[in-house]
Amino acid sequence: QVQLVESGGGPVQAGDSLRLSCVASGHTFMINRMGWYRQVPGQQRELVASITNSGATSFGAPSFGGSLEDRVTITRDKDKNALYLQMSSLKPEDTGVYYCGAELTIGLYSWGRGTQVTVSS
């Protein structure tokens, strides 16, 4: 089906910016929508932002970090089968494992293994 590999996470300071990348391979023609999700221990995986094949974006309302739309930008390069998440003004509550997800035409969802983002104050 579709394989996803994230990169770009790491330790940063509050106020820093970070760009996460995700590269898709396999049957990428099956992808309808891609998104970034965040998960912290003991909590459910939450949507950060998603983008459709036509470029329409949506943002989650996760229980962290306040308003996201002012601080994140999600973009997609279909030629490279890549998805990006640019985050700015990072806060300690943005810490978590960030997963790349792809909604497939067959009604399934593919996930990457995640990349850890740790924001220290």
Side-chain angles (χ1 to χ4, degrees), residues 10-91:
V12 295
Q13 297 289 319
D16 284 352
S17 297
L18 196 66
R19 188 176 88 150
L20 305 180
S21 300
C22 171
V23 177
S25 61
H27 297 164
T28 57
F29 62 89
M30 297 172 64
I31 297 175
N32 269 341
R33 180 173 65 98
M34 298 186 75
W36 286 99
Y37 297 75
R38 193 203 75 140
Q39 188 168 24
V40 296
Q43 296 187 19
Q44 291 187 332
R45 196 169 296 184
E46 298 177 301
L47 172 69
V48 177
S50 67
I51 185 168
T52 67
N53 285 346
S54 62
T57 58
S58 61
F59 296 87
S63 56
F64 66 91
S67 173
L68 284 176
E69 292 185 52
D70 294 337
R71 299 192 296 118
V72 303
T73 302
I74 185 169
T75 56
R76 187 173 167 189
D77 186 334
K78 286 192 278 186
D79 290 337
K80 296 182 179 179
N81 290 316
L83 180 73
Y84 305 100
L85 185 71
Q86 179 72 43
M87 300 187 288
S88 61
S89 302
L90 284 163
K91 306 175 182 181

